[in-house]
Amino acid sequence: MLKRISGLSIFCVISSALAFNASAQAVETQALTPFTAKYKVSKGRLNLGSAKRQLSQIGENRFTFSYFSDLSLLILSDHRRETSELVVNQQQVKPLRYLFKREGTGSDKSTTLDFSNGQVLDVETDKKIEVASDIQWYDEVSYQLQLKLDLAAGKQEMFYYLVNHKKKDKLYHFKVVGEEVIEVPAGKIETVKLQRIRDDSSDRVTEFWLAPKLGYLLVRIRQERDGSEVADAQLEQYVFNPL
């Protein structure tokens, strides 16, 4: 069961425990509009905890995109924080620095990656991670902002190369599979539905719902393995801070 909780790093797209008034959102939102959002994370009828996702602007074309989670099941616990400092130019996200920290049951872990100077550097060991130099690399948080921008630009299928917190390179493939109005704790929201495309041998299904009218804010993410639900994160509250 610990492995399943730890596997929830997929929820790097979700947010924390502030009291927001979702019905009072009057601002026109875009993919780069700063926000804070809180999510309820569950597995069937079991409440696993909460998560928070936050986008902040810290300078001209410069942002931090963060994810926090506080999850537990019986005596097991998993607390995570991931933050990507990045720049956005002409709708293209470029990560600068990525920080991952995990505490809870089992070994505590941390990773810091530097994406500047056209390379990916493991800051803790001061060693380069061997990746192709002709590819745009993302971390586990920054690619999610690029996904929002690509959806806003009308893309229906997206591919992202990233280096994860385990310092391994990955290819993430997403495809728009429809439009749905879904009801979550934050209310009834119009969304586009995406699915992460894996190879045919995978026993996992991961689905995402994002709201175009809310700057493609993540509304829900759900994961199954072998036909059984692993986790379901649903938007509870959110607030936007206009640029």
Side-chain angles (χ1 to χ4, degrees), residues 56-74:
S56 303
Q57 184 166 11
I58 58 174
E60 185 176 2
N61 301 326
R62 200 176 183 108
F63 298 82
T64 58
F65 200 13
S66 301
Y67 160 76
F68 313 86
S69 66
D70 186 2
L71 306 176
S72 62
L73 178 62
L74 300 176

Side-chain angles (χ1 to χ4, degrees), residues 104-236:
T105 306
S107 302
D108 294 346
K109 297 178 181 179
S110 65
T111 300
T112 303
L113 301 176
D114 189 303
F115 286 81
S116 60
N117 301 318
Q119 62 184 16
V120 183
L121 179 69
D122 178 359
V123 174
E124 292 168 324
T125 63
D126 197 30
K127 292 182 179 179
K128 294 181 183 178
I129 296 177
E130 296 300 323
V131 292
S133 60
D134 58 344
I135 290 176
Q136 172 62 61
W137 292 96
Y138 298 92
D139 56 63
E140 288 184 279
V141 179
S142 60
Y143 88 85
Q144 298 168 24
L145 184 58
Q146 187 65 60
L147 175 66
K148 281 159 55 77
L149 290 167
D150 289 343
L151 287 171
K155 292 187 179 181
Q156 298 291 299
E157 191 166 10
M158 290 75 66
F159 298 83
Y160 305 106
Y161 293 90
L162 60 97
V163 178
N164 66 17
H165 68 275
K166 296 180 180 179
K167 307 167 191 176
K168 303 294 185 181
D169 57 291
K170 294 279 187 178
L171 172 61
Y172 280 11
H173 176 195
F174 300 93
K175 189 173 184 179
V176 175
V177 295
E179 298 180 359
E180 291 185 13
V181 177
I182 65 172
E183 189 161 3
V184 294
K188 191 174 290 187
I189 302 175
E190 296 179 8
T191 69
V192 292
K193 182 180 179 180
L194 281 72
Q195 189 167 17
R196 182 177 168 193
I197 308 300
R198 295 182 170 93
D199 61 62
D200 293 338
S201 64
S202 177
D203 59 2
R204 289 178 294 168
V205 176
T206 307
E207 299 171 312
F208 306 79
W209 290 260
L210 299 97
K213 292 183 179 179
L214 299 177
Y216 288 93
L217 179 70
L218 181 71
V219 174
R220 184 184 182 189
I221 179 170
R222 183 176 181 274
Q223 188 175 62
E224 288 186 4
R225 181 182 290 120
D226 293 326
S228 298
E229 184 174 88
V230 175
D232 186 359
Q234 298 187 20
L235 181 65
E236 283 192 309

Side-chain angles (χ1 to χ4, degrees), residues 22-87:
S23 64
Q25 303 303 325
V27 63
E28 180 181 352
T29 57
Q30 301 175 357
L32 292 177
T33 302
F35 70 88
T36 305
K38 177 187 175 183
Y39 299 77
K40 176 183 178 181
V41 185
S42 61
K43 179 181 183 295
R45 295 183 178 181
L46 294 175
N47 178 24
L48 297 181
S50 64
K52 183 174 78 171
R53 188 170 176 245
Q54 187 171 50
L55 177 66
S56 303
Q57 184 166 11
I58 58 174
E60 185 176 2
N61 301 326
R62 200 176 183 108
F63 298 82
T64 58
F65 200 13
S66 301
Y67 160 76
F68 313 86
S69 66
D70 186 2
L71 306 176
S72 62
L73 178 62
L74 300 176
I75 63 172
L76 306 177
S77 64
D78 189 278
H79 313 286
R80 295 174 184 242
R81 173 172 182 163
E82 296 180 74
T83 297
S84 180
E85 184 178 345
L86 52 89
V87 294

